[in-house]
Amino acid sequence: PSWRRCASRSRTLSRGLLFIVWAPSGAGKTTLVERLVECVPHLRLSRSYTSPPLRPGETDGVDYNFVSRDRFEEMIGAGDFLEWADVFGNLYGTCASDTHRMLAAGEDVVLVIDVQGARKVRQQGIAAATVFVMPPSLTVLEQRLRGRSKDPEAAIQRRLQAAPDEVAAFRDYHYEVINDELTSSVDRLRGIVLAERARLQRMQAVADDIIRTF
């Protein structure tokens, strides 16, 4: 149908949308976003760069792009990052060139970054739809942190102590998703992506093409 051709042409010619998803450590944000990009066409997950060594069960280029701390600091100095942050002594960052390349190709991109990173992106005047993933409770958050079996006890306690201040940051985001159950939470995230894609400013070119057929 002509409207499908119009929609396809609009996606090819228009710049992609940027989404920022964040949650306290252990709330399940990475799993949610990985499921989301599997079920939503033309949606890409940006893999962050990070300085700590791989933990058991992690894979370079899949969970993160792992680099040495020295290399990470070189990238900071070269201005390679769209944003970066020091989180519990470890460095995490989003490669600017990777992100802009995907957006320029018309792909929508999801950044899984913390509050510091989201603020840095906004300070640069980059438009983004922001989503805060909230755990159902502190008790559930602790269960998930311990269930991952990746962190030592000291690291778990540090993350739990930081959680109250982190969840208070939800007011700075456009959307909130309570991650109480995986499938329903992915559905809520998918609804946010589709709603942002349907905004008038996004669909203007498609609508104009359709109107010309009348």
Side-chain angles (χ1 to χ4, degrees):
S2 61
W3 68 268
R4 288 188 183 275
R5 292 196 297 271
C6 292
S8 177
R9 185 162 60 250
S10 175
R11 171 157 295 281
T12 300
L13 296 176
S14 63
R15 185 174 176 83
L17 298 172
L18 185 63
F19 295 88
I20 293 174
V21 176
W22 189 72
S25 180
K29 58 186 178 295
T30 302
T31 299
L32 284 178
V33 172
E34 288 174 343
R35 295 288 184 89
L36 176 69
V37 298
E38 288 175 359
C39 67
V40 178
H42 301 290
L43 184 65
R44 301 279 300 278
L45 170 60
S46 173
R47 296 292 180 186
S48 296
Y49 283 73
T50 190
S51 65
L54 280 78
R55 294 178 295 186
E58 291 181 332
T59 303
D60 185 25
V62 175
D63 297 285
Y64 294 97
N65 295 311
F66 290 88
V67 296
S68 68
R69 191 176 187 92
D70 286 345
R71 174 56 183 150
F72 196 106
E73 291 173 348
E74 288 176 3
M75 295 176 72
I76 293 174
D80 290 340
F81 291 120
L82 183 67
E83 59 79 31
W84 67 272
D86 186 324
V87 182
F88 300 118
N90 295 319
L91 303 177
Y92 296 85
T94 302
C95 180
S97 60
D98 289 349
T99 303
H100 288 306
R101 183 174 61 253
M102 289 186 286
L103 292 172
E107 297 291 299
D108 296 336
V109 179
V110 185
L111 306 182
V112 181
I113 58 178
D114 74 344
V115 174
Q116 299 175 61
R119 287 172 181 159
K120 288 179 181 178
V121 171
R122 288 198 295 265
Q123 286 168 2
Q124 296 177 58
I126 300 173
T130 58
V131 185
F132 190 96
V133 176
M134 181 82 76
S137 67
L138 181 59
T139 299
V140 171
L141 181 65
E142 181 173 2
Q143 291 171 350
R144 290 175 180 173
L145 280 170
R146 297 188 181 283
R148 298 193 315 187
S149 300
K150 291 182 178 180
D151 297 315
E153 180 63 24
I156 291 174
Q157 290 300 324
R158 196 163 59 240
R159 296 178 189 279
L160 289 173
Q161 289 169 7
D165 287 336
E166 290 178 333
V167 297
F170 81 93
R171 296 177 180 85
D172 295 333
Y173 286 69
H174 297 126
Y175 299 96
E176 179 184 341
V177 170
I178 298 175
N179 186 18
D180 49 1
E181 193 276 325
L182 181 60
T183 300
S184 60
S185 298
V186 172
D187 285 343
R188 294 179 199 124
L189 278 175
R190 180 175 176 272
I192 291 169
V193 172
L194 297 182
E196 286 294 316
R197 286 179 174 180
R199 285 182 178 272
L200 180 59
Q201 62 185 28
R202 178 71 171 175
M203 296 299 295
Q204 185 73 54
V206 178
D208 288 343
D209 282 347
I210 292 172
I211 289 171
R212 293 189 191 99
T213 68
F214 280 77

